[in-house]
Amino acid sequence: DHLPPTPALKPDMSAELWNSAVRVLETNWAGDHMVPSRRLYPHQWSWDAAFIAIGLAYVNPTRAWRDLRSLFEAQWPDGRVPHIVFDPATAEADYFPGPAFWDVPAYGNRAARGSTGIVQPPMHAIAAWEVYRHAAAHGANCAQEARTELEWLYPRLVAQQRYLTTDRNLGRGGLASIVHPWESGLDNSPAWDEAMANVPADLALLSQYRRRDLDVSDAAHRPTDLDYSRYVGLVVSYRAEGYADAGLLDRHAFAVECPAFNSILASAELALAQIAGELGRTAEAATHRHRAAQITAAIIRRLWNEETGTFHALDVHTGKLTPANCVSGLLPLMLPDLPADLVQAIMNEMRSNRFGLPVPSYDRTAPDFDTMRYWRGPVWINVNWLVRRGLLMHGFRDEAEDLRTAMVRLVHRNGHFEYFHPTTGEGLGAPTFSWTAALSLDLLA
Ligand code: 9WN
């Protein structure tokens, strides 16, 4: 059940990809932060900033730190890191929903810049540790800068974890709930279909606004209007009480525990343990390791499905696991303490005709597998990068190398697209997308 060995990459291919990735990151740099894409996403996004920093570490670590700092300057007093930090130089009409729609309360983010009130997967501790590890290669000044930035970030990363593990422990089982599909970063994933069916779809509400994304991308590649009407309704619901989390379950229609989000949450604790160790905070390092073990145990207890042999999202309102087989169910492979039988089950699932490498975002055999539409089929570089991390974590070196080579070829052949057609490899979505470029650098380094 092993793939045939892949031929080595040609040096000129690697050089071309490296140079084009650097150009994308140059184009998308906006002074003190990176935009995911100039036209489609003209602000700063949370988990994008983490993936971007991982790549910038090789070519411009100062910008990697600057990007993370810009994001965390917009952190809320309760510790939440907003999923978008708005650029005041960008017009409200250039992205929907913009800052006026989110209307976050004055006690919200402290920065002069506006933000949203929701979060995204907490990739930042992982990114900070990666950038720090690579900084020394750039000389003494960069090593010094890295130390200063890591010390600045550490308490903020801890506050982010506290918010997610405490205020967002809506299901009371030790996992963080997402309260909007945008919080998963896997926006229209079939993993939310069941839970979203219980969210009122108010198309009249949506019709009061203009979907800017449809002006700048192909509608067949984007979530539907029905999806968007629910997205907007969920913001209105969370916004009504100033994005407060106390009692949220009783007044908000969507609360889900995602295996990918929570695997990243646990991995962030492990990265914090390494950061704390580096900063000489030995006792705190042990606490972070303990928390990672607790989150891992809760993921297994709450999200594992014996029958499908994979992990699924849990709808907190109904207490049911959602049936869809999505890539998010494979991401607990990132967890170093995952028991061997569960690692094996994920590997079986990944090697089956439902997935294969590079992994699509959804089960290829599902009747509603959609090769074009966003998180319902296409291949994304960031999730494949996370899968590769998991493969390396558990010693699957050949598959990790095959996946690396496949990703490099995909991007080299098709461009730094936001996502890719899962059978033809055609580029879809935004054409010069920052995390595709940034993670290409990491794959080549
Ligand atoms: C909503 C920026 C973001 C990514 C998400 C991706 C997409 C936004 C959108 O773009 O979401 O947050 O407008 O569709 O799904 O993962 O962070 O690149």
Side-chain angles (χ1 to χ4, degrees), residues 388-399:
R388 178 168 173 263
R389 198 178 154 90
L391 290 170
L392 289 171
M393 189 79 78
H394 294 284
F396 297 99
R397 300 207 151 266
D398 290 349
E399 267 145 317

Side-chain angles (χ1 to χ4, degrees), residues 52-177:
I52 289 162
I54 288 166
L56 277 177
Y58 299 99
V59 291
N60 195 331
T62 299
R63 283 189 181 174
W65 294 121
R66 179 64 258 179
D67 205 26
L68 290 172
R69 197 180 258 261
S70 292
L71 179 70
F72 278 81
E73 278 170 356
Q75 186 172 31
W76 288 30
D78 63 11
R80 90 181 73 190
V81 175
H83 107 292
I84 305 175
V85 182
F86 291 112
D87 181 350
T90 298
E92 178 80 21
D94 285 350
Y95 181 76
F96 174 76
F101 184 84
W102 286 90
D103 189 26
V104 300
Y107 66 75
N109 96 72
R110 291 169 276 207
R113 296 176 174 195
S115 79
T116 66
I118 61 171
V119 299
Q120 267 189 332
M123 277 296 305
H124 316 87
I126 298 167
W129 181 243
E130 290 293 315
V131 182
Y132 182 83
R133 285 200 310 126
H134 293 124
H138 297 264
N141 286 350
C142 283
Q144 180 55 45
E145 173 188 57
R147 182 90 192 176
T148 307
E149 295 300 317
L150 198 66
E151 273 168 1
W152 186 86
L153 273 170
Y154 176 71
R156 290 164 173 85
L157 292 165
V158 172
Q160 177 185 32
Q161 292 293 110
R162 189 219 61 82
Y163 170 74
L164 294 172
T165 53
T166 309
D167 299 24
R168 285 301 190 85
N169 183 11
L170 301 179
R172 299 266 154 257
L175 297 181
S177 286

